[in-house]
Amino acid sequence: MARLLPVLFLFLSGCLFSQLKFDTLSHRKFKTTVTPAILVGYHYAGDAKDNTETFRASQMHIIEVVFAKIISYGGNHGAAKVYYAGSDFIINNRYGFFMAPKVGVSSNAGMSLGAEVQFQTNFEKVIPRIMPYFGFGGGGGKLTVGYNFRLLKVENFPINTLQIGITWPIKRFKEKSI
């Protein structure tokens, strides 16, 4: 009897929580949809440093506005892949206002992994950076922690050493099934 319980548990788990295309117990069907969307986010970066590491800059508050293509994979445990392009608007007490046009990609299935390339500018200089991030997310939204790496050796902008943020779709357009 003790050997029968694990087998029975696995059988019932497979029947109740499976992700088959014709799953009769689930209201979610296994399908792929593509949805254009506008994503808005807030990020906070503390303890920014310059490249010489001789002084600390004030914290940065970052507003993100991007246009995204969300590719959702359905089922009980769905996932999403997001391609996006847009801009960060950075407010810093010491350095004023920055902008950072960017492009990126993320993959969300409970966990969120992604990377983006930013071109931070104060309208006099442009500094390219790459930011990998990880966190939690799904359906195009995400709660992440990332780190900016500079791509040039010499620069005068502060580097935000650690960035945390939340991004969420505020407007979804007509979805298309694939």
Side-chain angles (χ1 to χ4, degrees), residues 1-86:
M1 183 68 176
R3 292 182 186 182
L4 182 62
L5 287 176
V7 172
L8 186 61
F9 174 76
L10 291 174
F11 175 75
L12 290 175
S13 297
C15 291
L16 294 176
F17 303 112
S18 65
Q19 190 172 351
L20 300 174
K21 187 171 183 176
F22 302 108
D23 190 358
T24 58
L25 298 175
S26 174
H27 66 280
R28 298 179 185 157
K29 300 299 178 197
F30 189 74
K31 67 178 183 175
T32 302
T33 59
V34 177
T35 308
I38 295 174
L39 308 179
V40 173
Y42 171 77
H43 303 272
Y44 173 78
D47 294 335
K49 300 176 185 176
D50 71 345
N51 60 341
T52 62
E53 309 234 355
T54 57
F55 66 92
R56 290 181 176 267
S58 60
Q59 292 91 9
M60 294 181 176
H61 301 280
I62 303 165
I63 303 296
E64 172 186 26
V65 178
V66 297
F67 183 74
K69 178 180 175 182
I70 302 171
I71 302 169
S72 298
Y73 303 99
N76 286 337
H77 309 286
K81 181 172 39 175
V82 181
Y83 299 104
Y84 58 91

Side-chain angles (χ1 to χ4, degrees), residues 70-116:
I70 302 171
I71 302 169
S72 298
Y73 303 99
N76 286 337
H77 309 286
K81 181 172 39 175
V82 181
Y83 299 104
Y84 58 91
S87 186
D88 284 347
F89 302 98
I90 304 167
I91 300 165
N92 183 314
N93 292 337
R94 177 175 263 173
Y95 294 102
F97 179 75
F98 290 96
M99 246 180 96
K102 63 182 182 177
V103 294
V105 63
S106 71
S107 175
N108 305 318
M111 292 290 292
S112 179
L113 296 172
E116 59 188 37

